Amino acid sequence: MKPLRKAVFPVAGLGTRFLPATKAMAKEMLPVVDKPLIQYAVDEARAAGIQQFCMVTGRGKTAIVEHFDIAYELEATLRARSKNAELAMLRELQMPPGSISTVRQQEPLGLGHAIWCARAFIGDDPFAILLPDDLVMSNVPCTQQLADAYNETGGCVVAVTEVPRAQTNRYGILDIGSDDGRLVEVRGLVEKPKPEDAPSNLSIIGRYVLTSGVIEHLSRMERGAGNEVQLTDAMAKMIGQVPFHGLRYEGRRFDCGDKIGFLEAQIAFALKRPDMAPAVREFLKHYT
Ligand code: G1P
C-alpha cells in the first residue's frame, strides 16, 4: 500500500456566496481570526504528513500561491525593526522548496473536473483532497484521521457527518452498509439529493483520501448534479473496486463558504485563543 504524501486543494471557485468581498479577492484568502482559510487547510495537510501540495487555481487566485512564497521585502523590513515574533510566524509558513505545484482549471466545470485537472500531479499515488471552505476544529487534524483510516482500510475514505435531512441537497450523501459508529461502509453515493430521495443523512464534508483510480472515471467527463462534473459520481464508480469507507471524524466542521458558518468559525476559533478569549467572551455579552 502506498503511503499518503500528496494533497490537492481545489481553489478555483468563484466565491459568489461571499460577494462583494470576493470580487477582487480569492475566497480562500478570507481570514478566520488572523489566518486565511487556505492556510488552515495546508497546515492541516502538513500535520498529516503530506509533502506535496497541488493547488487547482483559476483566474484571480495568484494571492493564494504568493501567500506560501517568501516575502523578501517584508522579511527584511521586519528584521530591521526587530519584529522577531512576526518573522518566526512567516518562517513557519514557508514551504519546503518545490513542494507546491499549481494547475489551472480554466473553466468552472465542477469539483470533479478540478480534481481531474491535477491528474499529472496525482499520477498513480493515493491523495488527499481538502476543500478550504470546510474548516475543521479537532484534536487530531481531520486529514490525519483520514490518513489513519486509509492505513487501516487501504482504500478510499471520506470524512462524514450527519446533517439535518432538509439539507441533504447541499452535500454528497452516503448509502450506508455496515457501520461500527466510526467507520461506515459506503454502498453508494449521491450528489445533492432532495431530502425525499436521500439514502441517508450522512454527508461528505470537504476532506477525502482517494486512490488514483478515480481519475479514469473523471476523465469520462460525465455531467451530474448542476450539470457539473461531480467528484461524488466518479467516487461512486469506485465502490466495489476498492474498499470505500466514510469516517465519522472527531471534531467540529464550519462551513466557511456560508456567511453564518464563517461568522461562527470566527467566534469559535477566537474563543480557542488564550490571548483573545476573555475579550471575546466579554463583548459577546452585549449581543445575547
Ligand atoms: C462539494 C461536494 C459535496 C460535498 C461538499 C462538502 O460540494 O460536491 O459532495 O458534500 O463539497 O463541503 P460544494 O460545497 O462544492 O457544492
Side-chain angles (χ1 to χ4, degrees):
M1 204 173 83
K2 292 188 174 180
L4 180 68
R5 293 285 176 262
K6 294 181 176 177
V8 178
F9 302 78
V11 292
L14 295 174
T16 46
R17 286 193 287 173
F18 259 103
L19 283 168
T22 49
K23 188 179 167 214
M25 189 178 92
K27 64 173 173 167
E28 296 79 9
M29 291 303 293
L30 292 171
V32 169
V33 186
D34 52 8
K35 232 163 79 165
L37 287 170
I38 186 66
Q39 195 186 330
Y40 284 97
V42 167
D43 287 350
E44 183 187 312
R46 287 178 87 173
I50 299 295
Q51 295 171 355
Q52 289 170 270
F53 306 79
C54 180
M55 311 265 174
V56 183
T57 69
R59 288 167 61 78
K61 298 282 185 165
T62 42
I64 296 176
V65 185
E66 297 216 344
H67 183 70
F68 294 97
D69 214 341
I70 299 177
Y72 284 103
E73 300 87 342
L74 178 60
E75 288 196 11
T77 309
L78 292 175
R79 211 170 297 117
R81 295 183 186 166
S82 301
K83 300 245 178 210
N84 295 328
E86 287 80 357
L87 263 175
M89 189 197 292
L90 292 186
R91 286 280 148 74
E92 218 152 277
L93 187 57
Q94 207 171 304
M95 302 293 283
S99 59
I100 298 193
S101 318
T102 63
V103 293
R104 289 285 267 223
Q105 185 189 25
Q106 292 140 315
E107 292 173 278
L109 298 180
L111 178 59
H113 178 260
I115 300 304
W116 176 81
C117 287
R119 64 198 178 283
F121 168 84
I122 294 163
D124 291 331
D125 294 318
F127 62 104
I129 303 172
L130 293 91
L131 308 187
D133 277 3
D134 277 331
L135 185 53
V136 186
M137 181 185 270
S138 56
N139 295 323
V140 177
C142 189
T143 301
Q144 179 66 59
Q145 297 179 45
L146 286 182
D148 292 342
Y150 163 77
N151 289 331
E152 222 175 284
T153 66
C156 296
V157 194
V158 292
V160 297
T161 190
E162 256 97 20
V163 294
R165 195 153 261 274
Q167 292 178 10
T168 57
N169 59 358
R170 298 191 201 168
Y171 301 101
I173 300 291
L174 270 60
D175 188 2
I176 302 167
S178 66
D179 181 352
D180 72 5
R182 185 180 80 98
L183 273 179
V184 183
E185 182 200 348
V186 180
R187 264 207 325 231
L189 290 166
V190 195
E191 179 67 9
K192 302 193 170 76
K194 290 189 204 133
E196 59 271 28
D197 301 331
S200 77
N201 64 339
L202 204 53
S203 84
I204 304 174
I205 67 149
R207 298 290 184 278
Y208 312 72
V209 171
L210 302 179
T211 52
S212 58
V214 74
I215 298 297
E216 191 189 318
H217 298 298
L218 287 171
S219 62
R220 294 199 192 100
M221 291 297 143
E222 285 166 20
R223 303 293 182 110
N227 198 31
E228 293 186 343
V229 180
Q230 295 291 353
L231 178 62
T232 302
D233 297 343
M235 291 191 307
K237 300 210 171 92
M238 312 261 290
I239 299 165
Q241 298 182 344
V242 292
F244 209 125
H245 294 87
L247 173 73
R248 285 198 186 84
Y249 57 95
E250 164 274 312
R252 259 190 89 192
R253 169 244 187 197
F254 299 90
D255 176 7
C256 291
D258 171 78
K259 292 181 187 78
I260 298 295
F262 183 66
L263 280 176
E264 194 182 346
Q266 304 287 352
I267 303 290
F269 277 77
L271 286 173
K272 280 267 172 195
R273 291 260 300 251
D275 59 328
M276 297 177 71
V280 175
R281 244 181 229 111
E282 190 56 36
F283 81 59
L284 280 176
K285 285 182 195 155
H286 302 297
Y287 298 95
T288 46

